[in-house]
Amino acid sequence: MYPPIEPYDHGLLDVGDGQRVYWETCGNPAGRPALVVHGGPGSGATAGWRRLFDPAAYRIVLFDQRGCGRSTPHASDPAVDLSVNTTPHLLADMELLRRHLGIDRWLLHGASWGSSLALAYAQHHPDRVTALALFSVVANTRREIEWVTRDMGRIFPAEWARFRDGVPEADRDGDLSAAYARLLADPDPQVRDRAARDWCAWEDVHVSLAGGHQPSPRFADPVFRMGFARLVTHYFANGGFMPDGSLLRDAGKLAGIPGVLVQGRLDVSGPPDIAWQLTRAWPDARLQIVESGGHGTGHGMTETVVAALDEFRPR
């Protein structure tokens, strides 16, 4: 990774619906514009993202999606209305931010949920995207959500049983994301807190297959934990607010946009078949498998991601 850097500019952008989205710019103001699209939904754009880019070559833009990070209002508040937090809202926010910063076209860099959001943006606005550098790629299909919330119980049976048993018995054979979303909207703060803890405990498990995984310290923060759990379950329960399978079906819209997809072989949270299917329909993209990599972690993942971004530096 490149050395730590600080933003040279930042602000809160009023995007409507009572929402203000935090943004910052780092690196070279005259460099190649690049937008970081963080995961979650609800993870926020942490400082580590800045260090994946050559600061002399890139104008690096980070933003916190609605309801998380430094954006306001924060989804940890149970009174915050999530009906104005959907994929179409986030795509509109990204376009508004691009225009606000005076950027004509930019590279998109995202991971996990952020890869889905970056793909959706590129399919809606291909004329505004110069390249895509994605890792831990997912397409947010209902089948993938079922995989994460149910099928991975075959790999982590004891942990999944605890996760399943966190919802009422009548809900255990149904949509677990929706069941947790209901618990997180319960009027009892103790019910909400228990649901957030149980959801985040499972999140820590299903990304943990690669060697060297450490539990995320962010989940110890009750504000982060609650906001993250509310947003992930909100999006999962609604199929990511995208037509099911649309990112794969519409991959042909990315023709002419170069892409690098970095995927860990040991990523059981987002298995490599999705990235492979994308490259079959998107000939300008290249898939790089990191044999010892997991979901954004594992030996070789960071190095491969940095190398991919270095490929797109201005010559």
Side-chain angles (χ1 to χ4, degrees), residues 41-53:
S43 291
T46 57
W49 286 96
R50 307 170 190 160
R51 300 184 57 196
L52 299 173
F53 296 83

Side-chain angles (χ1 to χ4, degrees), residues 144-166:
E144 290 170 90
I145 294 169
E146 184 81 358
W147 170 268
V148 167
T149 57
R150 191 167 294 279
D151 294 349
M152 279 203 300
R154 298 184 65 187
I155 301 171
F156 303 106
E159 295 88 346
W160 181 79
R162 287 195 291 271
F163 170 66
R164 176 203 59 200
D165 292 349

Side-chain angles (χ1 to χ4, degrees), residues 32-296:
R32 180 176 193 174
L35 178 69
V36 169
V37 189
H38 68 70
S43 291
T46 57
W49 286 96
R50 307 170 190 160
R51 300 184 57 196
L52 299 173
F53 296 83
D54 180 346
Y58 280 104
R59 179 186 179 187
I60 311 154
V61 181
L62 288 80
F63 78 110
D64 291 331
Q65 295 159 29
R66 291 188 181 206
C68 70
R70 294 147 289 188
S71 295
T72 61
H74 199 275
S76 58
D77 181 349
V80 169
D81 177 16
L82 297 187
S83 71
V84 294
N85 197 319
T86 69
T87 296
H89 287 103
L90 300 185
L91 296 178
D93 294 349
M94 292 161 71
E95 261 299 271
L96 188 62
L97 178 59
R98 181 190 63 77
R99 295 195 297 271
H100 176 74
L101 296 177
I103 292 171
D104 182 50
R105 302 170 72 221
W106 48 11
L107 174 149
L108 299 185
H109 176 54
S112 193
W113 157 251
S115 70
S116 289
L117 189 56
L119 287 165
Y121 178 92
Q123 290 176 8
H124 281 80
H125 304 285
D127 57 326
R128 297 302 178 187
V129 179
T130 58
L132 288 158
L134 310 176
F135 67 101
S136 302
V137 178
V138 299
N140 215 68
T141 62
R142 290 197 177 274
R143 180 68 189 90
E144 290 170 90
I145 294 169
E146 184 81 358
W147 170 268
V148 167
T149 57
R150 191 167 294 279
D151 294 349
M152 279 203 300
R154 298 184 65 187
I155 301 171
F156 303 106
E159 295 88 346
W160 181 79
R162 287 195 291 271
F163 170 66
R164 176 203 59 200
D165 292 349
V167 306
E169 187 172 356
D171 293 335
R172 290 174 189 171
D173 292 329
D175 184 335
L176 292 174
S177 301
Y180 269 97
R182 288 191 291 271
L183 291 174
L184 289 160
D186 193 276
D188 186 337
Q190 292 186 334
V191 172
R192 296 196 303 269
D193 182 64
R194 173 63 186 271
R197 289 178 184 274
D198 287 346
W199 182 273
C200 292
W202 177 241
E203 287 275 353
D204 244 346
V205 166
H206 70 69
V207 298
S208 66
L209 198 60
H213 172 79
Q214 296 292 323
S216 174
R218 300 176 303 171
F219 291 143
D221 176 356
V223 173
F224 178 88
R225 184 172 64 231
M226 182 60 67
F228 180 87
R230 285 194 76 209
L231 286 171
V232 175
T233 57
H234 171 64
Y235 274 80
F236 275 17
N238 288 282
F241 296 98
M242 302 179 218
D244 192 34
S246 62
L247 295 181
L248 294 171
R249 285 195 305 272
D250 294 342
K253 295 180 178 180
L254 304 173
I257 301 174
V260 177
L261 311 181
V262 177
Q263 205 75 13
R265 178 74 73 189
L266 304 178
D267 187 348
V268 293
S269 186
D273 63 324
I274 296 297
W276 180 80
Q277 290 178 51
L278 278 167
T279 58
R280 300 277 287 180
W282 175 20
D284 299 285
R286 184 179 80 251
L287 173 60
Q288 289 187 238
I289 298 289
V290 179
E291 294 297 334
S292 56
H295 196 70

